[in-house]
Amino acid sequence: MGAVVRRHGRGLTAVAAALGLTAGLAACGHPGDSDGVTLRLVAADYGDSPANASQKYWTTLADRFEASHPGIRIKVAVYSWNDVDRRVKDMVARGDAPDIAQIGAYADYAAQDRLYSADDVLSIPTEANFLPALRTAGEVSRIQYGLPFVASTRLLFYNRTLFAKAGIGGPPTTWEELRDDAALLKAHGVKVPFALPLGPEEAQAETMMWLLSGGDGYVNDIGSYTLDSKQNVRTFTWLKDNLVGPGLTGPTPPARLDRAEAFAEFADGDVGMLNGHPTLMKTADDQGVKFGMVPLPGPDGRAKAAMGVADWMMAFKQGGHKAEIRTFLDYVYNDTNMLSFCREYDLLPVTTSASQAMSGAHSAGRLGPFLDELPSAELYPVAKTSWAAVSADIKKTIGSAVAPGADPASVLGALERSAQATDNAD
C-alpha cells in the first residue's frame, strides 16, 4: 500500500536502499539480559539520508523509555520502505513475529488472528485519542487492530511564478478553472501544465484524489467497491477529454509518469500544477520554486473530501507480551514523541491532542493546510484484505483509462469486476 510518504529526489533512492541494508543491523536494548522483557520492534525508515534515518529516532526514544521502565528492553530494527513489509511477512511466516511492527498494512495479519486489538495494548486515554477517521480506518468488523502511527494528506501545488507569467491571478477553484489555467500555462510555454502521474509507482493515490474530487471514491458506505460508478466514470472521462487529450499533461503519457518524476519536474520549475504531499514543500524549496497549495477542486467547487494516508502500528500476539506492549505504546503515542517524529519528517500526527498542539504552534507552519484536511480525509480501504491486490491492479491499469482512443468506462468496469472477484475470494 505504501507509506504516507517516501521522500523522492535525485540520488535518494540509493541512499534509502543502503539504509534498508544496514539499519536493521543496528539495535537498541539488551537482548542478552536475563531480567525483564525484551520487546522487538520492526519499523520503517522515513529518512532521506543517513543524517535523518529513523533508526536515530527509535534508538533515542527506546533509550529514554528504558531509563524510566527498567523492566522492559526495546530492540529495534529499521528497514527501508522497499524492504520492511517483506521483512515482517517473512518473520511471521517462519513463526518469529516481532512484538510490534510499524509498516504499511495490517489487514492480512488481523484476518489471520495474529494481532492484539487496540483495547488490548493501549490504555483507554491513548485509544480514545486517535482522530476518528483514522481510528475507523484501523477497524476490521468494528474492532480496531490497526493503530495509525503517522498520517499525510494531499493538496494541489501550483507554481506561483509560472502562474504570474501566464497572467493567472490565483489557484483554480473548479475543474473548469483548472483546465483553463492549464491551457494558459501551455500557451505560455510551460512544459507540463498539469502533471498527472498514473504510472505504476503510486497511481492508486493520484486516482483516489481525483475520484474524491469527482464526488465518489473506491468504496461505498458499506465498504463495497465502486470503481466504475457513474461519478468515477465521469471523472476519468473528464480527465481524458479535458487534460490529457488537449496535451495539458506534458510529453510523458500519464500511464508512464511516476510520482517521483513529476515531483522532480515540479522542483525543476517545469510543472504548473500537480497533487502533492507535505515533503514536496522541502523539495521545491531546495530548488527555489515559489509555490502555493490549495485543496484539489471539484467540478463545481471544493471537493467533498481530501485523500488521507496513514501508516500503521500493530502488535502481534505471538510473544505474549501484552502488558509490556501497552506500556511501550502509551509512551510512543504521547504528544512529545508524536510531535517530534512528525516534525522531523513533515508528517501529521494521528492523535487529537498532538494535532491540536501542532495546529496551535507556530512551528506548524506550512503543514497547517495539510493538517486542516486530516479530520475529514478519506483513506484507502485498508481494512479490506483484498485492497493490496486491488491497489496493484489499479497501478498497472488505470493509466490506460486516459490514453488516446480509450474508453474510461471499460477500464474502470474491468477493474471493478476484478476487485469484486478478489474481494469475494477473500
Side-chain angles (χ1 to χ4, degrees):
M1 289 180 205
V4 292
V5 55
R6 296 178 180 82
R7 291 173 184 259
H8 291 290
R10 292 173 175 82
L12 297 186
T13 301
V15 171
L19 286 169
L21 292 173
T22 60
L25 300 177
C28 54
H30 311 280
D33 287 358
S34 57
D35 295 332
V37 169
T38 296
L39 297 179
R40 292 189 300 133
L41 165 66
V42 176
D45 187 15
Y46 290 78
D48 58 13
S49 72
N52 69 348
S54 297
Q55 184 74 40
K56 292 185 175 183
Y57 171 84
W58 287 113
T59 299
T60 301
L61 182 142
D63 286 345
R64 290 200 313 266
F65 174 82
E66 290 177 4
S68 57
H69 301 82
I72 307 174
R73 302 294 185 183
I74 310 298
K75 181 180 179 181
V76 182
V78 177
Y79 301 100
S80 76
W81 273 109
N82 292 332
D83 297 329
V84 68
D85 288 282
R86 175 182 56 80
R87 293 271 191 167
V88 172
K89 183 178 180 180
D90 290 346
M91 291 176 189
V92 172
R94 65 174 182 260
D96 188 32
D99 295 286
I100 305 167
Q102 185 269 298
I103 53 178
Y106 68 87
D108 283 347
Y109 300 123
Q112 297 163 14
D113 194 30
R114 296 182 183 274
L115 302 181
Y116 286 117
S117 63
D119 58 3
D120 282 330
V121 291
L122 296 175
S123 67
I124 291 174
T126 300
E127 184 181 359
N129 200 19
F130 288 127
L131 292 167
L134 299 177
R135 181 174 62 246
T136 300
E139 293 179 351
V140 176
S141 300
R142 301 188 179 224
I143 298 174
Q144 185 181 358
Y145 295 98
L147 316 177
F149 176 61
V150 288
S152 177
T153 54
R154 304 293 191 261
L155 293 173
L156 175 68
F157 283 66
Y158 63 99
N159 185 310
R160 292 183 182 274
T161 302
L162 297 180
F163 265 52
K165 289 180 178 178
I168 304 170
T173 60
T174 65
W175 282 2
E176 182 179 359
E177 289 182 5
L178 188 150
R179 178 200 62 203
D180 293 346
D181 290 347
L184 283 170
L185 291 166
K186 181 180 180 181
H188 283 77
V190 175
K191 178 182 175 182
V192 184
F194 190 98
L196 186 66
L198 295 176
E201 179 198 345
E202 204 180 17
Q204 86 286 358
E206 186 73 19
T207 297
M208 184 169 176
M209 284 182 268
W210 279 102
L211 298 187
L212 292 172
S213 173
D216 202 353
Y218 283 131
V219 296
N220 59 21
D221 291 341
I222 61 172
S224 299
Y225 286 110
T226 58
L227 277 81
D228 64 346
S229 69
K230 289 182 179 179
Q231 296 100 314
N232 290 344
V233 170
R234 180 186 68 168
T235 295
F236 266 80
T237 300
W238 187 89
L239 287 172
K240 177 178 178 292
D241 293 345
N242 290 272
L243 292 184
V244 181
L248 302 180
T249 54
T252 303
R256 297 208 303 268
L257 181 65
D258 283 337
R259 186 185 66 177
E261 180 183 348
F263 279 20
E265 289 186 316
F266 187 82
D268 286 340
D270 292 331
V271 174
M273 295 176 280
L274 84 171
N275 293 316
H277 54 58
T279 57
L280 182 56
M281 295 188 296
K282 182 179 184 300
T283 306
D285 279 340
D286 289 346
Q287 298 289 98
V289 174
K290 298 184 184 303
F291 60 89
M293 304 174 299
V294 294
L296 180 65
D300 303 307
R302 182 165 177 161
K304 71 162 190 172
M307 187 187 81
V309 180
D311 293 332
W312 302 94
M313 279 277 191
M314 60 214 69
F316 286 88
K317 295 193 290 187
Q318 181 179 331
H321 298 140
K322 179 168 64 173
E324 293 81 7
I325 292 171
R326 176 184 293 215
T327 300
F328 179 63
L329 287 180
D330 279 349
Y331 186 80
V332 167
Y333 280 103
N334 74 42
D335 285 356
T336 298
N337 293 327
M338 279 273 90
L339 291 169
S340 174
F341 192 93
C342 290
R343 286 167 177 157
E344 175 67 30
Y345 300 111
D346 287 332
L347 295 168
L348 306 179
V350 298
T351 61
T352 299
S353 59
S355 294
Q356 290 172 343
M358 179 179 278
S359 180
H362 175 72
S363 58
R366 291 182 299 180
L367 281 175
F370 295 94
L371 194 63
D372 291 342
E373 296 295 305
L374 188 57
S376 61
E378 293 195 17
L379 280 71
Y380 298 130
V382 290
K384 298 172 76 66
T385 56
S386 60
W387 170 242
V390 172
S391 176
D393 283 347
I394 292 168
K395 290 179 183 181
K396 290 186 294 187
T397 305
I398 195 64
S400 65
V402 296
D407 177 18
S410 296
V411 174
L412 290 169
L415 284 168
E416 172 70 13
R417 291 189 294 275
S418 177
Q420 289 183 357
T422 302
D423 205 32
N424 291 336
D426 292 338

